[in-house]
Amino acid sequence: MQAEIITIGDEILIGQIVDTNSAWMAKELNGIGINVGKITSISDQKNDIVSSLKQAMERVSLVLITGGLGPTNDDITQKTLSDFFGMSLVQNDLLYAKIEQRLGDRGISMNHFNREQALVPDGARIIQNNHGTAPCMWFEKEGKVVISMPGVPFEMKGIMQDEILKSLAQHFSTPVILHKTIMTEGIGESVLAEMLIDWEANLPNCVKLAYLPSPGLVRLRMSLTGDDENKLKRVIEEQLDKLREIIPANIFGYDDYPIELSVAKLLSDKGKSLGTAESCTGGNVAHLLTSHAGSSAYFKGAVVAYSNEVKENVLQVNAADLEKYGAVSQEVVEQMAIGAQKLLNTDYAIATSGIAGPDGGTVEKPVGTVWIAVAGPEEVISHKFYLYKNRERNIRVASLNALNMLRKILEK
Amino acid sequence: MQAEIITIGDEILIGQIVDTNSAWMAKELNGIGINVGKITSISDQKNDIVSSLKQAMERVSLVLITGGLGPTNDDITQKTLSDFFGMSLVQNDLLYAKIEQRLGDRGISMNHFNREQALVPDGARIIQNNHGTAPCMWFEKEGKVVISMPGVPFEMKGIMQDEILKSLAQHFSTPVILHKTIMTEGIGESVLAEMLIDWEANLPNCVKLAYLPSPGLVRLRMSLTGDDENKLKRVIEEQLDKLREIIPANIFGYDDYPIELSVAKLLSDKGKSLGTAESCTGGNVAHLLTSHAGSSAYFKGAVVAYSNEVKENVLQVNAADLEKYGAVSQEVVEQMAIGAQKLLNTDYAIATSGIAGPDGGTVEKPVGTVWIAVAGPEEVISHKFYLYKNRERNIRVASLNALNMLRKILEK
C-alpha cells in the first residue's frame, strides 16, 4: 500500500521552516502499514497544486496534502481542490456554526471572509478538526483517496490521531502494526547486538528489530505486524521479559520516556530528595530535572562547582586531595557528592567532574574522562567514564550517565 | 532564477530522519538570488531518480540532488546519472588517490568496491569534497545545471560553502546579496516595529527588512541586493549606526551570536568573574554559560536553590523575608544574588526566582512572574518580568533576560 505526501507553503521553499510534518506523517502511516513513496513541497499556487496532485494520483492510491489552508490562502486550496474534483463549493453548516462561535467568544461578528471559510466542496467528506477552524477534507475518486489537512503541526497531528489514521486503516484494511521502543544505556550498539544475538535469532516472524543509537543511549525498536492486536501485545510482553533477563541493568525506560522522569518517579515513590554537585555538566543535570513540572517535590537544588575554589569552600572538598589527585578524580567527585548531600540536606546527591573539552585534556586524563559519584543514605558509589571528544556530547552523555547511575541505585 | 531540490533516501520516507538539508539549501540559494520552486524526497530507486530529475529539468534551469551516495548506494546514483546524461563511468584519479590514502591511513588496502567508488561520469565536472570521500558532480545539459551531492548534512554544507554557491553565482550571474541580522532583546515585536517606523521608511531601496521574533528576543534581518559588494557593506554600517541610536540598550549581538557569549566576552575583557543563584531557571543559566569552551575563565559556579531551605541555608536568604514576601519577590531575589556573590566569591552574580508553571500561580503572582537580580561590585539591580504560561519558554526567556540584564550593566 503506497502513499504520497504533498506539503504546500512558501515558508518551506524559502527555508524559513523545516518540514517536520512529513517525517511525522510518514512514521505514523508506516505504523498502519502504509509506505510513503514520495514527499513533495510546493508553493501556494494553483498550477503547482493541480499538477503535483495529478502526478501523485497517477502513481499511488492515497495522497495526503498539508498546508495552504491558512486564512490568506483558504480560497485557493479549497477552490483548487473543488475544481480539480469537479465539485462546487457549498456552505458547511457545522463548520459555519463553529467559526461563528469562535468569533462570538471574542465579540466579533461574521464577515464575508469568515463566511467563505465555511464553504467546502460538496462531494468531500468533511472531517472534524478539534484543534482549529481550518477544514479537513477527504476526497475519493476512482478508488483513490486524497486528504487535505492544515499545515500547523499540532492541528495536523491532532486530526491524524483523532480520525485519519483510523479511517485509513479501515478504508484500506491495512494490517495491525505495533511498535515498542526499549531505551538502553551503558552498552554500545555493537556490544549490545552481540549480547542479543540469540534473542534476536529466536524472535517470532512477526517482529522486526531496529537498533537506533544516539549519544549516550541505544534504543531498540520492535515493530510487529499481524491481524490480531491482542496477540501482538502478548508477543511484546513475552519478548520484553526475555530482554529484561539478558540486560537487566541497562533498560531504563520504554517508548522514549526521558530518564530524568524515570528517576523522578522512583524518588517520588520512595519519598526521597535529590541534589547535585556539578562540575563538567555545568548545571545540565539540574536543568534536565527542573525542566519538568513538579520537580520541586524531590529536587532541592544544586551546586555548580566550576572552579576548585567553589569545590573547596562550598562543597568542603579537601584542598590537599584536590592538589594530589586533581579535580577529575574518584576522591574529589565522591567528596563533592557527600558535600552536596550535606549542604543541600538531601537523601541522594549526584556529582560530576570531568574534562568536557575541547581543551584541557592530558595524556593520563584525555578529553572525555568523566568521574561520576552518587551519594546515598548508606554509601557512595563512583564510576569513571571514557566519553567523547565533543563538548556538547560529553555534557549530554555525562548527564544521562549520572541519572542512570542513580536510577540503578534507586531500583536496587 | 528558479531551482528545484531532490533529496534521495529511504530514511526520509519512513520518517526516521527529518529532511533539514532542503531548508538549509533553500535559504542559502535565496541568499544568492536563486528561488526554490519545489522540493521532492524520493527513495533510492533508479526509476524514481530518473523520472523526478526529468520532470524537474523540464521546469527549471537548476536541480540540486542530495543523498543516495552512501557506500551501499554509490553504484545506483553514479550509474543512474551517468546513464541519464549518456556518459560512461571512468576512474577519477584524484578521487582514487584520496580514497586510497584514507584507507591507507587505517591500514586497509583498496578492494573492488573502493575502486568502484572512484568511478565517475566522464562528462561531469567533479567538485572537490573536503569533508568525505563521496564524489560531488556538476552536470550541464542544454543550458541546465544538475548537481549531485552527498546527503550527510555536514558534507553537503561544506561543499556548498566551499564551492557550489560561488560557482552558481558565477554561472548564473546572480546579483550580490548580503544579510545582516541584529539581535534585540527586551522589546516585543510590535513595539519594536513602532519605534522603527521612521528608520524603516527611510531605508534605501536595496534593503529589505524582516522581523523574526522568537521566545525572548526579536531578530531584525536586513537583506541587501545589488551589484557592488563594498557599497552594500557601507549601507549596512550606516544603517547599523542609525539603529544603535534608536535602540541602544536592546541590541545584544549580531548574526545569531548567542547572548551568553556576548556576556562572556565582556567579563573576559574586564577580567571579572560570575556566579548564579537560580530558582526558576533551575540551572539553565549555568548550563548556557558552560556549554561554551573556556567558560571556566570567568564562570566560577552556581547554586540552584530550588527549595526555600537551600535559599536560607546556602544563600543566607533571611527566613523572615521569605515568609513575609514569598520566594518570588524583589527582597528574596536580591538576597539570593548577594548570597551567591559572597558564597562563590565572584564580582557579579545573577539570581532568578519565578513561577515557571504550569502550576503554582496565584492571583497576585500568576504563572510567568519572574524576579531577576544582578549583584555587582557596587550595587544590586533587580527587575520583575511578566512572561508566559509555558514552562519551557519561561525557563528559556528568564535565562536570556537574566543574561541581558548583566550585559547592560557590564556595558555601562
Side-chain angles (χ1 to χ4, degrees), chain B residues 275-404:
Chain B
T276 66
E278 306 185 43
S279 183
C280 67
T281 51
N284 190 44
V285 179
H287 170 57
L288 288 174
L289 289 161
T290 58
S291 295
H292 302 279
S295 42
S296 58
Y298 46 85
F299 184 69
K300 285 200 181 176
V303 174
V304 179
Y306 225 55
S307 70
N308 282 348
E309 190 190 334
V310 173
K311 291 185 185 80
E312 268 183 59
N313 297 343
V314 182
L315 294 174
Q316 313 304 329
V317 172
N318 186 295
D321 289 339
L322 256 173
E323 177 70 29
K324 187 173 170 192
Y325 302 106
V328 181
S329 63
Q330 181 167 21
E331 289 76 9
V332 168
V333 81
E334 291 192 352
Q335 290 178 35
M336 285 172 65
I338 295 166
Q341 191 184 25
K342 279 190 193 151
L343 180 75
L344 303 169
N345 189 26
T346 56
D347 299 306
Y348 291 89
I350 290 172
T352 63
S353 185
I355 298 148
D359 307 313
T362 62
V363 177
E364 299 88 49
K365 294 178 186 173
V367 168
T369 308
V370 176
W371 272 100
I372 298 176
V374 177
E378 281 151 31
E379 55 177 351
V380 184
I381 289 174
S382 56
H383 193 70
K384 191 179 187 176
F385 295 86
Y386 298 97
L387 303 180
Y388 311 94
K389 297 292 155 213
N390 177 285
R391 184 180 185 84
E392 199 185 331
R393 200 171 179 188
N394 283 335
I395 293 173
R396 182 173 154 68
V397 176
S399 303
L400 291 178
N401 278 321
L403 289 164
N404 198 41

Side-chain angles (χ1 to χ4, degrees), chain B residues 63-332:
Chain B
V63 182
L64 294 109
I65 305 173
T66 66
L69 293 168
T72 51
N73 300 307
D74 266 348
D75 298 337
I76 292 173
T77 305
Q78 276 160 255
K79 182 128 189 27
T80 300
L81 292 176
S82 179
D83 288 354
F84 181 84
F85 288 104
M87 300 174 181
S88 41
L89 287 171
V90 292
Q91 182 178 303
N92 182 284
D93 291 339
L94 223 78
L95 194 59
Y96 187 98
K98 198 172 158 191
I99 297 170
E100 194 170 34
Q101 195 199 322
R102 250 188 196 236
L103 291 169
D105 287 348
R106 290 151 55 201
I108 303 167
S109 55
M110 297 279 278
N111 66 14
H112 165 76
F113 172 74
N114 304 129
R115 278 189 288 271
E116 288 235 321
Q117 269 203 299
L119 296 180
V120 295
D122 60 354
R125 177 179 149 209
I126 305 305
I127 291 178
Q128 185 82 8
N129 171 2
N130 300 316
H131 314 272
T133 53
C136 171
M137 299 165 281
W138 173 299
F139 300 88
E140 290 183 28
K141 192 184 180 181
E142 295 159 11
K144 313 254 172 165
V145 172
V146 174
I147 301 167
S148 162
M149 287 179 284
V152 180
F154 85 88
E155 288 192 41
M156 179 279 292
K157 290 179 187 175
I159 298 168
M160 286 278 286
Q161 281 165 332
D162 293 348
E163 186 60 46
I164 303 283
L165 288 167
K166 277 178 233 154
S167 291
L168 286 175
Q170 210 164 25
H171 186 90
F172 291 105
S173 10
T174 58
V176 175
I177 301 193
L178 297 182
H179 296 287
K180 186 79 195 175
T181 302
I182 301 104
M183 320 264 286
T184 77
E185 238 266 0
I187 331 174
E189 186 187 6
S190 57
V191 178
L192 182 63
E194 264 181 53
M195 292 172 75
L196 300 181
I197 279 181
D198 288 341
W199 174 73
E200 204 177 329
N202 290 313
L203 280 173
N205 282 334
C206 63
V207 184
K208 273 193 185 173
L209 186 72
Y211 288 81
L212 307 166
S214 57
L217 54 95
V218 178
R219 287 173 296 162
L220 286 172
R221 192 185 59 216
M222 293 195 282
S223 300
L224 296 88
T225 314
D227 301 317
D228 183 344
E229 186 167 346
N230 286 327
K231 201 178 143 195
L232 294 183
K233 281 183 177 167
R234 279 197 302 277
V235 172
I236 289 177
E237 286 311 316
E238 282 163 25
Q239 295 307 324
L240 286 182
D241 284 345
K242 289 186 186 172
L243 254 188
R244 281 187 282 248
E245 271 180 35
I246 309 170
I247 45 167
N250 305 95
I251 297 174
F252 69 88
Y254 301 92
D255 300 324
D256 292 304
Y257 193 72
I259 189 162
E260 63 270 21
L261 286 181
S262 301
V263 166
K265 195 176 176 310
L266 286 162
L267 288 167
S268 298
D269 287 352
K270 290 172 190 267
K272 300 292 182 188
S273 61
L274 175 66
T276 66
E278 306 185 43
S279 183
C280 67
T281 51
N284 190 44
V285 179
H287 170 57
L288 288 174
L289 289 161
T290 58
S291 295
H292 302 279
S295 42
S296 58
Y298 46 85
F299 184 69
K300 285 200 181 176
V303 174
V304 179
Y306 225 55
S307 70
N308 282 348
E309 190 190 334
V310 173
K311 291 185 185 80
E312 268 183 59
N313 297 343
V314 182
L315 294 174
Q316 313 304 329
V317 172
N318 186 295
D321 289 339
L322 256 173
E323 177 70 29
K324 187 173 170 192
Y325 302 106
V328 181
S329 63
Q330 181 167 21
E331 289 76 9
V332 168

Side-chain angles (χ1 to χ4, degrees), chain A residues 12-20 23 26-27 30 36-43 52 55 212 282-284 286-287 290-293 295-296 299-307 309-310 314 343-345 358 391 395, chain B residues 12-20 23 26-27 30 36-43 52 55 212 282-284 286-287 290-293 295-296 299-307 309-310 314 343-345 358 391 395:
Chain A
I12 295 170
L13 296 174
I14 63 167
Q16 197 173 28
I17 64 162
V18 169
D19 168 27
T20 56
K27 205 182 254 173
N30 270 215
V36 174
K38 194 174 227 172
I39 299 164
T40 313
S41 298
I42 55 173
S43 71
S52 297
Q55 288 173 6
L212 308 166
N284 191 44
H287 171 57
T290 58
S291 296
H292 301 280
S295 42
S296 58
F299 184 69
K300 284 198 181 177
V303 174
V304 179
Y306 225 55
S307 69
E309 189 190 335
V310 173
V314 182
L343 180 75
L344 303 169
N345 188 28
R391 183 179 186 84
I395 292 173
Chain B
I12 295 170
L13 296 174
I14 64 168
Q16 198 172 27
I17 62 161
V18 169
D19 168 27
T20 55
K27 205 182 255 172
N30 270 215
V36 175
K38 193 176 226 170
I39 299 164
T40 313
S41 298
I42 55 173
S43 71
S52 297
Q55 288 172 8
L212 307 166
N284 190 44
H287 170 57
T290 58
S291 295
H292 302 279
S295 42
S296 58
F299 184 69
K300 285 200 181 176
V303 174
V304 179
Y306 225 55
S307 70
E309 190 190 334
V310 173
V314 182
L343 180 75
L344 303 169
N345 189 26
R391 184 180 185 84
I395 293 173

